[in-house]
Amino acid sequence: LVILMILLEVLFYFDYMILNFVFFYIFSIYFKLMIKMKKILLLFLVSISMFFYGQKKYVVVIHGGAGTILKKEMSPELEQKYRDKLKEALAKSYEKIKEGKSSLEAVEAAIVVMEDSPLFNAGKGAVFTSDGRNELDASVMYGKDKSAGAVAGLTVVKNPIKAALAVMQKSEHVMMIGKGAEQFSKNQGLEIVNPKYFWTQHRWDALQKVKKAELKANQPNAMNNHHYPSYYWVDRKFGTVGCVALDKEGNIAAGTSTGGMTNKKYGRVGDAPIIGAGTYADENIGISGTGWGEFYIRTSAARTVAAKYEYQNKDVKTATEEVMLEIEKLGGDGGMIALDKNGNVAMTFNTEGMYRGMVTEDGEITIEIYK
Ligand code: ASP
């Protein structure tokens, strides 16, 4: 009977439900089990079959940044543009996963769509540093074996998420920065662009606005309680992108890509390329964050969510909410997405809005922006 059960479990895994029952029937006759016994066994088999069926969920969840996103400040046309792009990213990613590709490929597909759009603060739409340049960060992690790759301070690589993936898959390192990371990306045949590619009017205007506020903030008594100059509170529309995917094999991958924060200085690196801060994935859960990076680094945000899930048995929602609360108490803000091995999703944020969306195995896409 034990062998029979093991064989059945293997069949359940492949979803051959009908075969399972035929199999069971033949064996139950063979064992000349009593009618009552058969019923009990049948019930048992149906329940484990449903359990395994439930296990095989595949889901993709994305974010396009959290921040001061208010409906009253958004034109219907712009909102539609965001919705369409998020939808496109989810559709591309879903395609991969449906074909049976790994969650890593699904994460890459979704993030590349958003990196190529000027709407998000990643790739093409990256924000400016204080000296008017664009420095891009990204990271990726694969839950099955906890392999990871990250890049920071890129200025010429069109898709930083691809560079992070290359570091993970083609080098013996986890993190590479600046010129070295760019040289490595070139050697890997990734697309290199002129830094001007990342110039966009709206990000340039945002830099000028923050600089003006910074000037004002440099007046005496302009510091706030958290020892950050008040210009940090001006026009801080985040637009970092991230994705967590669960594939048919039950493996989770997470990735994050960003231009950082407007007016960031002197080689500043945020949480996005830091494994355990902005991105994390293990065999249970995957997380991608967006927000005021310094606080995500200080709280090891993404890894803390995974630890709460694993060691305290917190569900995805509770775990992310608790970490966001910790960030908030320290004076930070933003959001994060999390997805566990059973397909449970959390999209948590403490800002006015977060561009976000998900697609489930039936192909149904949901997109949300505001609270
Ligand atoms: N977390 C990013 C950073 O601090 C910014 C963001 O998510 O918008 O670099």
Side-chain angles (χ1 to χ4, degrees):
L1 203 61
V2 170
I3 293 167
L4 161 71
M5 296 310 271
I6 292 170
L7 281 169
L8 282 172
E9 288 204 10
V10 171
L11 285 172
F12 280 132
Y13 186 76
F14 291 105
D15 270 0
Y16 294 142
M17 299 266 276
I18 298 181
L19 252 179
N20 286 332
F21 290 118
V22 174
F23 201 66
F24 164 73
Y25 193 70
I26 295 166
F27 267 77
S28 62
I29 292 169
Y30 181 75
F31 280 106
K32 294 193 174 52
L33 290 168
M34 290 184 323
I35 296 291
K36 212 173 151 196
M37 188 66 184
K38 267 203 278 184
K39 274 188 186 155
I40 294 168
L41 259 177
L42 194 63
L43 256 172
F44 179 58
L45 289 176
V46 169
S47 59
I48 58 166
S49 147
M50 283 172 78
F51 173 71
F52 274 103
Y53 195 71
Q55 289 288 86
K56 286 190 66 202
K57 280 189 177 141
Y58 48 101
V59 181
V60 180
V61 53
I62 57 171
H63 70 76
T68 324
I69 308 162
L70 294 166
K71 192 158 178 75
K72 61 177 191 303
E73 284 173 15
M74 175 96 76
S75 70
E77 296 76 35
L78 189 58
E79 182 175 328
Q80 199 50 51
K81 274 189 191 166
Y82 273 108
R83 288 184 179 277
D84 290 348
K85 255 309 151 199
L86 291 168
K87 211 169 172 184
E88 187 187 328
L90 283 168
K92 285 257 164 73
S93 186
Y94 176 75
E95 224 171 83
K96 295 273 176 204
I97 233 154
K98 206 178 169 213
E99 280 169 13
K101 300 267 169 63
S102 89
S103 48
L104 264 180
E105 283 181 64
V107 165
E108 181 188 7
I111 291 187
V112 164
V113 168
M114 296 187 280
E115 280 182 342
D116 289 345
S117 160
L119 291 172
F120 303 97
N121 172 20
K124 172 73 185 151
V127 299
F128 283 94
T129 63
S130 66
D131 53 355
R133 296 176 313 114
N134 308 94
E135 289 184 356
L136 289 71
D137 307 332
S139 68
V140 67
M141 187 163 185
Y142 189 45
K144 189 182 179 184
D145 57 3
K146 291 200 175 89
S147 51
V151 286
L154 301 185
T155 58
V156 295
V157 179
K158 186 175 177 238
N159 293 107
I161 194 66
K162 290 191 181 206
L165 257 174
V167 171
M168 174 178 146
Q169 291 170 330
K170 309 278 174 55
S171 87
E172 68 270 39
H173 306 302
V174 167
M175 190 172 199
M176 291 170 109
I177 62 158
K179 290 274 169 281
E182 290 176 345
Q183 188 56 51
F184 173 75
S185 303
K186 267 180 220 167
N187 296 347
Q188 292 302 322
L190 298 187
E191 191 171 348
I192 302 299
V193 290
N194 188 307
K196 280 189 203 134
Y197 165 79
F198 299 107
W199 198 96
T200 55
Q201 188 67 53
H202 69 296
R203 298 296 187 201
W204 184 254
D205 295 345
L207 175 67
Q208 308 317 314
K209 212 166 153 188
V210 175
K211 278 194 171 296
K212 239 190 235 164
E214 183 182 24
L215 268 181
K216 257 197 225 156
N218 283 337
Q219 317 289 327
N221 305 325
M223 299 295 273
N224 67 59
N225 295 340
H226 306 295
H227 309 289
Y228 280 91
S230 56
Y231 71 81
Y232 263 85
W233 272 267
V234 178
D235 202 34
R236 295 182 307 119
K237 278 192 196 67
F238 304 120
T240 292
V241 305
C243 176
V244 188
L246 170 67
D247 62 27
K248 285 186 177 175
E249 303 292 316
N251 294 317
I252 303 170
T256 312
S257 178
T258 188
M261 286 174 78
T262 302
N263 203 33
K264 65 180 183 183
K265 300 198 174 57
Y266 317 125
R268 179 265 190 189
V269 176
D271 61 312
I274 296 180
I275 296 301
T279 304
Y280 191 76
D282 58 22
E283 49 290 297
N284 300 312
I285 188 170
I287 302 108
S288 168
T290 170
W292 196 339
E294 278 69 10
F295 293 91
Y296 285 69
I297 298 173
R298 287 164 58 192
T299 54
S300 300
R303 169 64 185 151
T304 303
V305 171
K308 281 178 184 291
Y309 185 94
E310 186 177 355
Y311 306 135
Q312 299 183 326
N313 292 319
K314 301 265 164 82
D315 58 62
V316 278
K317 206 164 163 276
T318 313
T320 50
E321 280 172 3
E322 286 183 3
V323 173
M324 282 316 302
L325 205 66
E326 190 186 348
I327 287 172
E328 193 171 303
K329 277 188 191 148
L330 294 171
D333 64 354
M336 53 173 67
I337 53 169
L339 167 63
D340 75 2
K341 55 178 184 254
N342 302 319
N344 298 309
V345 172
M347 302 190 243
T348 307
F349 55 100
N350 65 355
T351 51
E352 279 85 355
M354 178 165 84
Y355 300 108
R356 60 200 187 276
M358 62 183 277
V359 57
T360 42
E361 63 189 279
D362 48 9
E364 199 181 309
I365 292 179
T366 28
I367 285 159
E368 283 178 275
I369 297 178
Y370 313 104
K371 243 181 203 160

